[in-house]
Amino acid sequence: MMKGSSFSILMDDLKASFKLAVKNILSFLLGMIGVIIVTVLLIAAMAIAVIPVVILFLGIEGMTNAITQLAPLMGTGSGAAAIIFGVGMVVISPLLIPFFVSVGALFGMGREIAESEGTNAEGVFSWYSRKFFSFIGGGLIIFLISMLPLALLMLALIPVHGGSPSGPFAWVLPVGAFIWLTVSLGMLSMTYPAIVDGHSPIEATKISLKMGWTYFDRIFSTFLAFIGIIALLFAPFIIGALLSMPLGTEPPGPLALFGGYAIIVSLFSGLIVLPAFVISLNRAYMILSGEDITSLQEDEHPDVNLVGGV
C-alpha cells in the first residue's frame, strides 16, 4: 500500500476505518464500558494514594496559606486560568495514569481490528496486563511533551501585580496553544501503535517522531481529518448555542434541540468516530512500518473474535 498521501488515499483510509468501526461497534462498546469501569477503579485507587500524601506534605494549614496567597491572582481571568491550569497539572497528573493505560488498551483493540477485521471485548483487558507499564510510559511522554510547555508558559504568565495580559495580541496564546497541541500530538500519534507493536515507550516515541517527520503528509492528513470531522459534527451545536444565547437574555427553547443534537453527536463520536480514529492510526502505522495489512499473521492475538462477519 502507498506510504504517501493524496485525497483518494485519505478517503480510502477513512472509509476502511469507519467500515471496521461500524462492523465492530458492539465489541468496541463493551470494551469501552470495561475500560471505563477499570479506569474509574484505578483513578479511585490513585486518589486514595495521592490525596493523603498531599495533605501530609502540605498540611491543612499549608494548603490554606497557599490558597490565601493565590487568592489575589484569582481575581483576574488570566491569573485564575494560569493558577488552575498549573495546579491542576501537578494534582491531576498522577490521576491521568489510568487514562494513559485505557487509551493504550483501546489502541490494542484497534490493532486487532486493523489486522484481522475483528476483536472482542475481553481482549481489552489482556492489553492492560500485557502493556500496563509501557502504556503508562508512553502516555507520560506524550503528556509531558504536549502539555508541560503549555503549563510552564501559563505559570510564567501569571500576573505579578494582579494585572492580566490584554490588547490586540491576546488571541496569540490560545491560537498558539491549539497549534502546538495539534502539531505535537500529531507527531506523537504513532507512539501508542508502536508500543502495541512491541516497542518500549522511548523507542515508540522515536519511531513516532521519525514517522511524523518522514511521512508528515500521510500522518497529519489523517490526524487533521478526524479533527475536522469532530469540528463539523459539533459546529451546529456550538453555533446554535451562541446564537441562542444573546447577552442579557435567557436561553430560548430551541437550545434544547441543540442539546439533544449534542447528545446524539457525542454518542456517535464515542461509538464510531473514536474507534475509527484508533483503527486509522493503527492502519497508518502498519502501512508506514512496511506491514501488509491483508496478510498479517494472527497468531499474535489468538483470541480475536470477529464481530459482524468478515
Side-chain angles (χ1 to χ4, degrees):
M1 301 183 69
M2 295 294 294
K3 294 185 178 182
S5 178
S6 67
F7 183 76
S8 61
I9 290 177
L10 175 61
M11 289 297 101
D12 289 341
D13 283 346
L14 293 178
K15 286 192 294 185
S17 298
F18 275 96
K19 179 180 178 180
L20 291 174
V22 172
K23 253 178 100 170
N24 294 274
I25 185 172
L26 180 59
S27 291
F28 239 102
L29 173 61
L30 296 176
M32 284 191 288
I33 292 175
V35 164
I36 292 173
I37 293 174
V38 175
T39 302
V40 170
L41 293 176
L42 289 175
I43 289 177
M46 293 294 297
I48 293 173
V50 170
I51 293 177
V53 173
V54 174
I55 296 177
L56 180 64
F57 180 75
L58 293 178
I60 301 298
E61 183 178 354
M63 294 177 64
T64 303
N65 291 335
I67 294 174
T68 302
Q69 294 175 5
L70 293 175
L73 296 179
M74 294 293 287
T76 65
S78 60
I83 292 170
I84 293 172
F85 188 81
V87 174
M89 286 282 291
V90 175
V91 176
I92 298 176
S93 294
L95 303 181
L96 290 177
I97 290 177
F99 173 75
F100 297 151
V101 183
S102 301
V103 172
L106 291 179
F107 269 90
M109 292 184 68
R111 171 66 182 240
E112 292 178 346
I113 294 173
E115 282 183 339
S116 59
E117 298 191 4
T119 185
N120 58 35
E122 295 82 3
V124 70
F125 297 104
S126 68
W127 289 105
Y128 270 96
S129 59
R130 292 161 55 186
K131 300 286 185 180
F132 186 86
F133 292 104
S134 294
F135 288 151
I136 291 176
L140 284 174
I141 291 174
I142 295 174
F143 182 75
L144 292 176
I145 293 177
S146 298
M147 299 299 295
L148 184 58
L150 294 180
L152 295 176
L153 179 60
M154 291 291 287
L155 291 174
L157 292 177
I158 292 179
V160 178
H161 299 292
S164 59
S166 59
F169 299 104
W171 56 270
V172 173
L173 181 59
V175 172
F178 175 79
I179 294 175
W180 168 253
L181 286 175
T182 301
V183 174
S184 61
L185 291 176
M187 292 293 291
L188 295 169
S189 61
M190 296 292 106
T191 302
Y192 274 117
I195 291 176
V196 170
D197 200 32
H199 297 280
S200 70
I202 294 178
E203 291 174 343
T205 304
K206 292 179 180 178
I207 291 172
S208 183
L209 293 173
K210 183 178 180 180
M211 283 185 173
W213 179 263
T214 306
Y215 305 107
F216 184 90
D217 55 342
R218 182 62 181 267
I219 290 177
F220 274 86
S221 62
T222 301
F223 192 77
L224 293 175
F226 279 92
I227 293 180
I229 289 171
I230 293 295
L232 288 175
L233 287 174
F234 282 94
F237 167 72
I238 297 174
I239 296 174
L242 292 175
L243 294 178
S244 300
M245 292 192 298
L247 294 177
T249 63
E250 294 293 329
L255 185 60
L257 178 62
F258 288 109
Y261 173 80
I263 294 175
I264 295 174
V265 168
S266 298
L267 291 175
F268 178 77
S269 299
L271 296 178
I272 302 297
V273 179
L274 175 60
F277 177 62
V278 171
I279 294 169
S280 183
L281 290 182
N282 274 290
R283 282 172 50 86
Y285 170 83
M286 294 162 70
I287 292 170
L288 298 179
S289 60
E291 299 185 50
D292 183 1
I293 294 179
T294 60
S295 62
L296 287 172
Q297 298 297 321
E298 297 184 20
D299 55 352
E300 184 179 353
H301 309 294
D303 58 345
V304 169
N305 176 34
L306 296 182
V307 176
V310 188

